[in-house]
Amino acid sequence: MESHTQTSTERFSKLRNLILGLQHVLAMYSGGILVPLLIGAALQFNAQQMAYLISADIFMTAVGTLFQLKGTRYTGIAMPVVIGSAVQTVSPLINIGSTLGIGAMYGATIVAGAFVFLISGLFARLRAFFPPVVTGSLITVIGFTLIPVGFQNWGGGDLEAKSFGSLTNLSIGLVTIVIILLFNLFAKGFAKSIAILLGIVLGTIFAGLLGEVSLQPVADASWFHMPTPFFLAAPTFHWSAMITMMIVALTSMMESTGVYFALADLTGRKLTNEDMAKGYRAEGLAVILSGIFNTFPYSTFSQNVGVVRLSGVKTRTPIYYAVLILLLIGLLPKFGALATIIPSSVLGGAMIILFGTIGVQGITILKQVDFNLERNLMIAGISIGSAIGVTVYPQIFQHLPELVKLVIQNSVVVTSILAVLLNIVLPGRQKEVM
């Protein structure tokens, strides 16, 4: 009798962890597929390429998360973290892919991953150079400078199309926004935590009722496909692209630092520099593999911190179940193809909220900053202002060498360079304790 009770308890525990793992997957899935969707659409990938891209991306997300979960002598933060495609890579990768070819994207990604792995120990000791005025400015820019991308997608994606800005596209985007708002304001618990995903799913259903969704890509996709090295393109290496992605990799490391500390606070763990270095190295390995398997760079997802807080389950066990679910999804291209049927206007509505929320998160960090100090005002004002200027008028640098232009035409890179540099050179910098 006792053995039977114990078996039932074990089954219930496994089922509970499986459901908690699924919750983590659902919380990160919309953000996880957003980057490949955006970059693939911008570079005009066909349906087969998009199906592979999303399937491989989800599969490698699982592999990267596993690197973080399993602490070894050199890698793994060993906390309940989830890896996902880094949104700050969207603009520079589109720029690289459209000017130098998609092979250049993957060559630069592999180099960026190796760069992260090699500097992990040093970066872990340089946390004092990234106070709230720097990280807050950076996250603000990451969110708000991507808002125009959301509006373009809301209109239909293609600025040259006659249907751009049509009432159909506008209504689909608006319905998506309203659905997300309603779930955020009135739903509780789990439903609230996946409001973005529910908005995308229900918005797509609404678009389908209007005849704006085709299931053909799902029908055409295969049932099974193993991620294949260099399936879309062999890597090519260009200095301008590699430098750009190394700088962007630094911004991902800054974001991951915040996630590590948020989880440490939740789990009651005191992180050492070596813990941080192992977390960065795990991300570096994941980024290297993302280049080899033709997906996109990864960083630690902040939205899963909210899931940990919401569920109250602070162990790594549910994340292992999430990894299993992600691996299965990644092996089945039909699941990946499902994401390709989402209309641009649905994505646009979701992106406006998602990116706007990220921008406000940056402002929340900036609230910790004493702006009575002129140095802080100058750091935030110059770095954020320059990023907005570059976003609106990137052609101001059109006469500069291609190497320089490719680096400084990206708003995230501009903010990173200016905020860190100004924080170092302006007088009055106080030693930060993190």
Side-chain angles (χ1 to χ4, degrees):
M1 184 71 176
E2 184 179 343
S3 176
H4 176 73
T5 303
Q6 186 176 2
T7 303
S8 299
T9 302
E10 288 174 355
R11 286 176 181 170
F12 175 75
S13 177
K14 288 179 179 178
L15 178 62
R16 175 175 172 271
N17 283 320
L18 179 63
I19 294 172
L20 287 168
L22 178 61
Q23 179 174 247
H24 276 282
V25 171
L26 293 176
M28 62 76 63
Y29 194 79
S30 56
I33 66 172
L34 194 60
V35 171
L37 279 173
L38 287 174
I39 297 175
L43 298 179
Q44 298 181 327
F45 283 12
N46 61 37
Q48 181 189 15
Q49 289 173 316
M50 289 293 284
Y52 170 81
L53 184 64
I54 293 168
S55 296
D57 184 76
I58 293 299
F59 187 89
M60 298 314 299
T61 291
V63 174
T65 300
L66 197 57
F67 286 159
Q68 284 286 34
L69 287 176
K70 183 66 177 175
T72 69
R73 183 177 177 183
Y74 299 106
T75 61
I77 195 73
M79 288 196 295
V81 301
V82 176
I83 294 287
S85 295
V87 71
Q88 60 267 35
T89 65
V90 170
S91 178
L93 284 174
I94 290 174
N95 196 2
I96 292 168
S98 59
T99 57
L100 299 173
I102 61 174
M105 293 192 308
Y106 298 123
T109 296
I110 293 169
V111 170
F115 172 71
V116 170
F117 189 90
L118 292 173
I119 70 160
S120 293
L122 174 62
F123 194 86
R125 296 193 294 271
L126 295 179
R127 289 179 286 166
F129 291 105
F130 306 107
V133 69
V134 173
T135 55
S137 298
L138 177 61
I139 294 173
T140 299
V141 164
I142 288 170
F144 289 154
T145 58
L146 283 170
I147 292 293
V149 178
F151 266 82
Q152 181 176 337
N153 277 277
W154 187 0
D158 185 358
L159 292 170
E160 305 301 322
K162 290 183 179 180
S163 61
F164 184 80
S166 67
L167 286 177
T168 300
N169 286 333
L170 294 181
S171 63
I172 291 171
L174 182 60
V175 166
T176 303
I177 291 171
V178 169
I179 291 170
I180 294 171
L181 282 174
L182 290 175
F183 274 104
N184 262 297
L185 291 174
F186 300 111
K188 302 292 183 183
F190 178 51
K192 183 173 183 177
S193 74
I194 59 167
I196 292 284
L197 181 65
L198 291 171
I200 290 175
V201 171
L202 295 176
T204 301
I205 292 172
F206 175 72
L209 295 176
L210 298 180
E212 296 296 314
V213 175
S214 171
L215 295 175
Q216 194 59 42
V218 180
D220 293 342
S222 61
W223 279 104
F224 180 83
H225 192 286
M226 279 292 293
T228 307
F230 313 126
F231 181 82
L232 299 175
T236 59
F237 301 93
H238 303 263
W239 278 110
S240 57
M242 291 187 293
I243 291 171
T244 297
M245 293 312 297
M246 283 191 285
I247 294 173
V248 173
L250 289 172
T251 70
S252 296
M253 294 174 80
M254 293 182 206
E255 282 194 285
S256 296
T257 300
V259 176
Y260 296 159
F261 276 97
L263 281 169
D265 183 61
L266 277 173
T267 58
R269 177 175 166 186
K270 184 173 177 60
L271 292 177
T272 65
N273 284 350
E274 183 55 31
D275 291 329
M276 303 290 288
K278 287 163 68 173
Y280 299 139
R281 288 191 199 107
E283 287 194 19
L285 283 177
V287 173
I288 292 171
L289 288 178
S290 75
I292 292 173
F293 286 90
N294 287 173
T295 63
F296 300 117
Y298 300 115
S299 64
T300 305
F301 262 23
S302 59
Q303 48 262 61
N304 291 88
V305 178
V307 177
V308 173
R309 182 182 289 111
L310 176 71
S311 67
V313 179
K314 302 170 184 178
T315 68
R316 288 173 283 166
T317 305
I319 312 297
Y320 280 109
Y321 279 86
V323 166
L324 179 62
I325 294 169
L326 289 169
L327 287 172
L328 291 174
I329 293 174
L331 291 172
L332 304 172
K334 282 196 183 292
F335 279 94
L338 275 174
T340 69
I341 70 173
I342 302 169
S344 295
S345 48
V346 171
L347 286 175
M351 280 187 278
I352 288 168
I353 293 180
L354 181 64
F355 296 150
T357 303
I358 293 171
V360 172
Q361 181 186 351
I363 293 174
T364 302
I365 294 173
L366 289 174
K367 284 174 63 178
Q368 307 170 28
V369 178
D370 182 5
F371 283 113
N372 290 320
L373 296 177
E374 288 294 325
R375 73 181 311 274
N376 289 336
L377 193 61
M378 289 298 99
I379 292 170
I382 293 173
S383 60
I384 294 174
S386 299
I388 293 172
V390 168
T391 301
V392 177
Y393 290 112
Q395 59 267 38
I396 193 174
F397 300 120
Q398 61 184 325
H399 298 298
L400 295 179
E402 190 65 31
L403 170 61
V404 178
K405 187 168 66 175
L406 196 57
V407 172
I408 66 175
Q409 279 188 334
N410 178 258
S411 58
V412 174
V413 175
V414 167
T415 306
S416 303
I417 294 172
L418 287 177
V420 172
L421 185 62
L422 289 171
N423 181 55
I424 291 172
V425 302
L426 292 182
R429 182 170 69 92
Q430 297 179 346
K431 185 176 181 181
E432 299 288 335
V433 178
M434 296 186 70

